[in-house]
Amino acid sequence: MICLISDTWYLFNKYVRITLRMPMWALFTIIQPLIWLLIFGQLFKNMASLPGFPAGRYMDFFLPGAVIMTVLFGTSWSGVSLLREINFGTVEKMLVTPVSRISIVMSRVIHSAFTVIIQCLIIFIVALIFGVRVSGFSGMLLSLIVVFLLAVGFSGISNGLAIWIKREEPLVVMGNMMTLPLMFFSSAMVPKSFMPEWIRIITMVNPIDYAVEAIRVFYTGVVSSEAVFAGFAFLVLFALVSISWATEMFVNQSE
Amino acid sequence: MIKTEKLTKIYPSGTQALDNLSIHVEEGEIFGFLGPNGAGKSTTIKILTTLSRPTSGYAWISGYNVQTEPNKVRCSIGYVAQETGVDYFLSGRENLVLQGRLYRMDSKTISRRVEELLELFDLKDSADALVSNYSGGMRRKLDIATALIHNPKILFLDEPTIGLDPHSRSSLWNFIRMLNKDLKVTLFLTTHYLDEADKLSNRIGILHKGSMKIVDTPEALKDSIKGDSITLSLNSGEKEKANSILKDNSIVKELLCEDGHVRVYVNNGSEAIPALMKLLTQHGIEILSLTISRPSLDDVYLKYSGVSFKEGDSSEGSNPWWAQWQKGGWGKKWKGEGKREGEKSEEKPWEKWNNKQEESWDKSKNQEEPWKKWQGKS
Ligand SMILES: Nc1ncnc2c1ncn2[C@@H]1O[C@H](COP(=O)(O)OP(=O)(O)OP(=O)(O)O)[C@@H](O)[C@H]1O
Ligand SMILES: [Mg+2]
């Protein structure tokens, strides 16, 4: 167990270091969600005045959406870089050591979640500057936990798919195919009351919807509600299932 | 030290890479593993290094079963893959430290080992540069260094000298000898360079289609192919005379006259030469020059890997190899082979085969080597 944690820590360190060595990449991953926040905020501005739309500007409404987009796009790289490491023989070099196989996957997933959290923090700060009402520190912290769980989940899926598909191109295509519909099948862009019935049913099994709802609740300040608690449980489950699946795939493949 | 029993590997795609392979490598050996592309060399190494599971059969490293005690195996071996596996986005030093961490060594030991290895591989100056800025040879060296971070007793090298210039190649050879001699590391290496296997290995195994064709010392393997050829250069008028003298001699297995030379095939060249010289001088025939060529490992390799170098002769050793020679006429065969091998000429001045001289030739060549340190030791 101690080995698992220290192995994960050293590998996590490595990935952080590599990320920091790509300043342009870091810069763009931070700018990208801001662009979404601003563009979408402007594009759908008038939607907020439609009858039935929750109170506030569209940008206030869309903030969780921008966060989720960041999570989805940020984590979908995780699998691509795993494939690159496999092709470069870096993974093989890890596998000849007694290092825990689980921590190879864990460190990647946590690194991915970690970079996404930093991006989201910046989104929150910019949102504050643009006058989005955030209820307080605890709400923000809880939102970041939601982001972490969702990022772990999707990064796990990306890594698992990478091992399953084995090629970069189809992986990227599949990632895009998966993330965009999932976005639309959630209340990230459009309130639930605007959705047709069948989409509303899909949202019930969509982890993104739970995350969006939870974040929305957190930053508007209503922290304790049963729905949020259920959403949280669902996200924990999602993260656990996905990370176990990715680990399972990895361990099976590496033998 | 390394032992496999009836190792079989069938990939999910259905390719049978190994077929009941049994190997035994003793402690302290340098074992050269040869075989054509796709013979199963890398597959064998992957199973021995716990990277792949055999379909059936067993393998032990230092007495530990690779399947049931993988972590004990991993701690006692180092592995240098066919492609370098160092991380391009880390510096050389970071790569070494990380590898130490993955072997779960403590920080003190790691930093001591890292300094030792950087020194040993002459990578000190570029230790903090990113590996993406390294040359291929430097990457290779770093790759080997990372495999040695935990002081393994066994080192697996999959085509270690591929892509190295002749200088780096011979320094790596010296290094491998040093590892073996001074640090008592058992080495298991695959290569496609036969001269490399010949010079380095204590024993050589030739793998073909997943099973071992033969295992023996390089010398014994070469001896197993009967016949050295001795080429005598004589004054033009004396060829016929020499021919008649040598024809009935018991040492001589075959005799061939070409241009200005007489080519004599014998069982053991170094024993035959004094006798031949004596015989010819007694008859007043002057020998202008003399060349002996030994069957090289190439011959052995071709024989056991079932690849025949003469078109149409694809029989995989169903009859003795030299029988094929005799059928086609020896001289023809040797000539054909010389052509095929290109600059790797069959015939070498006989001095070259004198081991001591060759070594010193190697050494003097390496005087300007970056890896000078090993020279005293090797
Ligand atoms: N991962 C794999 N999946 C399916 N087949 C494989 C795999 N790896 C190797 N093979 C097949 O197994 C056989 C042996 O391959 P291996 O890599 O062990 O050969 P090798 O002796 O190392 O060859 P080379 O000299 O080219 O490196 C080949 O036929 C190869 O196509
Ligand atoms: Mg190979």
Side-chain angles (χ1 to χ4, degrees):
Chain A
M1 188 62 197
I2 291 168
C3 283
L4 179 74
I5 293 168
S6 68
D7 286 352
T8 309
W9 171 246
Y10 291 123
L11 286 170
F12 172 71
N13 255 316
K14 163 187 145 163
Y15 293 121
V16 170
R17 221 176 264 221
I18 291 174
T19 306
L20 291 178
R21 285 190 186 149
M22 297 187 284
M24 284 312 271
W25 183 83
L27 187 70
F28 278 110
T29 46
I30 284 166
I31 289 176
Q32 199 184 33
L34 294 181
I35 291 176
W36 281 327
L37 185 62
L38 299 180
I39 290 180
F40 279 84
Q42 288 298 306
L43 186 66
F44 295 116
K45 205 163 85 183
N46 296 330
M47 211 159 125
S49 53
L50 286 176
F53 203 90
R57 295 178 300 165
Y58 184 79
M59 198 195 265
D60 299 278
F61 176 80
F62 182 64
L63 180 64
V67 168
I68 292 323
M69 279 178 100
T70 308
V71 173
L72 291 181
F73 286 94
T75 51
S76 63
W77 285 110
S78 195
V80 177
S81 91
L82 173 62
L83 282 185
R84 209 161 293 164
E85 284 210 324
I86 289 174
N87 294 337
F88 268 58
T90 315
V91 169
E92 208 167 65
K93 209 143 177 82
M94 294 175 189
L95 290 177
V96 287
T97 71
V99 72
S100 147
R101 273 57 187 149
I102 298 170
S103 42
I104 297 178
V105 177
M106 287 285 258
S107 61
R108 305 186 57 81
V109 167
I110 292 174
H111 162 254
S112 178
F114 189 75
T115 47
V116 164
I117 280 183
I118 289 176
Q119 287 172 273
C120 290
L121 253 180
I122 291 168
I123 294 181
F124 282 139
I125 290 166
V126 173
L128 275 177
I129 295 169
F130 276 85
V132 173
R133 214 165 30 83
V134 176
S135 71
F137 185 71
S138 65
M140 201 136 120
L141 198 74
L142 284 168
S143 300
L144 288 181
I145 294 176
V146 169
V147 166
F148 179 80
L149 290 174
L150 196 69
V152 164
F154 277 101
S155 164
I157 290 179
S158 178
N159 280 284
L161 280 181
I163 293 161
W164 192 36
I165 301 175
K166 296 193 179 75
R167 288 286 309 271
E168 281 183 31
E169 296 85 348
L171 180 64
V172 172
V173 171
M174 196 143 169
N176 289 344
M177 211 177 70
M178 193 178 66
T179 52
L180 279 179
L182 279 179
M183 272 287 291
F184 294 133
F185 290 154
S186 80
S187 58
M189 295 178 153
V190 180
K192 278 215 176 102
S193 54
F194 284 34
M195 291 176 187
E197 185 63 27
W198 66 275
I199 291 188
R200 215 176 307 167
I201 291 170
I202 296 178
T203 60
M204 293 194 334
V205 288
N206 184 357
I208 289 180
D209 187 61
Y210 287 95
V212 169
E213 293 289 313
I215 293 172
R216 196 164 282 148
V217 166
F218 288 144
Y219 82 79
T220 51
V222 198
V223 169
S224 62
S225 85
E226 252 174 60
V228 167
F229 190 75
F232 227 98
F234 187 85
L235 286 172
V236 170
L237 191 71
F238 171 62
L240 283 179
V241 167
S242 130
I243 208 170
S244 338
W245 177 66
T247 315
E248 180 75 16
M249 289 295 280
F250 185 81
V251 171
N252 275 346
Q253 188 63 36
S254 61
E255 271 170 1
Chain B
M1 210 60 181
I2 303 171
K3 202 172 163 218
T4 73
E5 216 175 273
K6 297 195 170 153
L7 218 51
T8 298
K9 174 79 186 182
I10 300 168
Y11 281 106
S13 60
T15 317
Q16 175 153 21
L18 295 179
D19 181 13
N20 282 309
L21 179 68
S22 298
I23 309 175
H24 193 125
V25 178
E26 298 288 344
E27 186 167 357
E29 247 189 317
I30 303 184
F31 187 79
F33 203 35
L34 302 180
N37 291 129
K41 304 181 296 295
S42 298
T43 303
T44 310
I45 289 197
K46 284 200 174 132
I47 290 171
L48 292 173
T49 51
T50 74
L51 290 173
S52 178
R53 284 176 170 273
T55 310
S56 66
Y58 305 94
W60 296 268
I61 302 277
S62 304
Y64 302 122
N65 185 310
V66 293
Q67 286 190 79
T68 55
E69 301 160 291
N71 274 353
K72 286 189 173 142
V73 170
R74 285 168 190 145
C75 287
S76 47
I77 60 170
Y79 167 59
V80 181
Q82 198 164 346
E83 290 94 24
T84 55
V86 284
D87 203 304
Y88 279 37
F89 307 110
L90 296 178
S91 71
R93 180 176 274 115
E94 285 168 338
N95 263 297
L96 285 164
V97 171
L98 179 67
Q99 201 68 10
R101 292 290 183 204
L102 298 184
Y103 278 109
R104 296 177 179 158
M105 297 157 66
D106 61 82
S107 323
K108 253 192 181 164
T109 324
I110 291 178
S111 48
R112 182 175 52 77
R113 277 299 284 166
V114 168
E115 292 316 311
E116 277 174 19
L117 288 167
L118 286 174
E119 179 84 18
L120 196 63
F121 283 86
D122 195 40
L123 287 169
K124 267 217 145 92
D125 295 333
S126 37
D128 294 308
L130 288 191
V131 173
S132 47
N133 299 332
Y134 279 26
S135 74
M138 285 160 79
R139 262 174 227 151
R140 194 89 232 179
K141 287 200 269 183
L142 181 65
D143 201 23
I144 299 172
T146 52
L148 290 170
I149 189 89
H150 58 302
N151 256 325
K153 283 283 109 201
I154 303 175
L155 185 63
F156 290 89
L157 297 155
D158 203 349
E159 299 183 30
T161 57
I162 213 156
L164 292 186
D165 66 28
H167 252 240
S168 308
R169 213 149 83 91
S170 68
S171 356
L172 187 57
W173 290 350
N174 282 341
F175 177 68
I176 287 172
R177 289 189 190 111
M178 187 277 288
L179 273 182
N180 181 250
K181 234 186 192 164
D182 299 351
L183 304 180
K184 307 272 175 281
V185 176
T186 305
L187 284 120
F188 188 101
L189 62 96
T190 76
T191 177
H192 287 295
Y193 301 112
L194 297 169
D195 56 330
E196 183 168 299
D198 195 359
K199 277 182 191 154
L200 282 178
S201 326
N202 304 118
R203 281 193 313 149
I204 285 174
I206 295 178
L207 192 70
H208 181 52
K209 290 189 179 156
S211 54
M212 196 67 104
K213 291 296 171 213
I214 192 163
V215 184
D216 217 325
T217 63
E219 290 311 312
L221 284 178
K222 282 181 283 189
D223 283 347
S224 77
I225 290 195
K226 298 272 190 296
D228 290 344
S229 88
I230 300 168
T231 309
L232 302 166
S233 195
L234 306 171
N235 289 324
S236 47
E238 295 178 319
K239 237 165 56 182
E240 295 309 309
K241 194 175 162 198
N243 202 351
S244 60
I245 296 166
L246 292 172
K247 205 165 54 190
D248 302 320
N249 198 289
S250 61
I251 320 170
V252 178
K253 285 175 64 182
E254 193 96 1
L255 194 69
L256 212 79
C257 288
E258 21 171 315
D259 315 340
H261 310 286
V262 174
R263 200 179 273 239
V264 182
Y265 294 98
V266 296
N267 270 332
N268 185 328
S270 34
E271 277 171 22
I273 285 176
L276 282 178
M277 287 174 73
K278 200 169 151 201
L279 196 66
L280 289 173
T281 356
Q282 269 172 4
H283 288 81
I285 299 173
E286 192 190 354
I287 302 172
L288 299 178
S289 78
L290 179 153
T291 320
I292 173 170
S293 46
R294 272 231 189 137
S296 72
L297 212 51
D298 300 30
D299 305 329
V300 183
Y301 177 80
L302 290 169
K303 172 180 174 188
Y304 289 104
S305 61
V307 187
S308 177
F309 43 77
K310 195 187 170 197
E311 302 98 303
D313 270 354
S314 55
S315 58
E316 290 176 24
S318 52
N319 45 350
W321 194 54
W322 51 90
Q324 292 176 26
W325 273 11
Q326 273 150 347
K327 228 169 33 190
W330 283 42
K332 246 186 176 169
K333 203 77 191 187
W334 283 80
K335 260 190 190 163
E337 187 185 345
K339 255 182 237 152
R340 163 91 181 222
E341 290 301 318
E343 71 279 352
K344 253 198 265 171
S345 168
E346 255 313 291
E347 300 188 44
K348 294 175 181 164
W350 72 280
E351 290 92 357
K352 261 207 176 171
W353 286 101
N354 181 323
N355 269 340
K356 271 176 209 157
Q357 284 196 24
E358 188 174 15
E359 234 167 58
S360 66
W361 172 77
D362 251 357
K363 271 184 191 165
S364 62
K365 217 182 142 190
N366 294 339
Q367 217 84 103
E368 317 295 348
E369 275 299 320
W371 300 358
K372 270 177 203 151
K373 271 138 227 134
W374 310 331
Q375 301 223 331
K377 291 169 189 165
S378 62

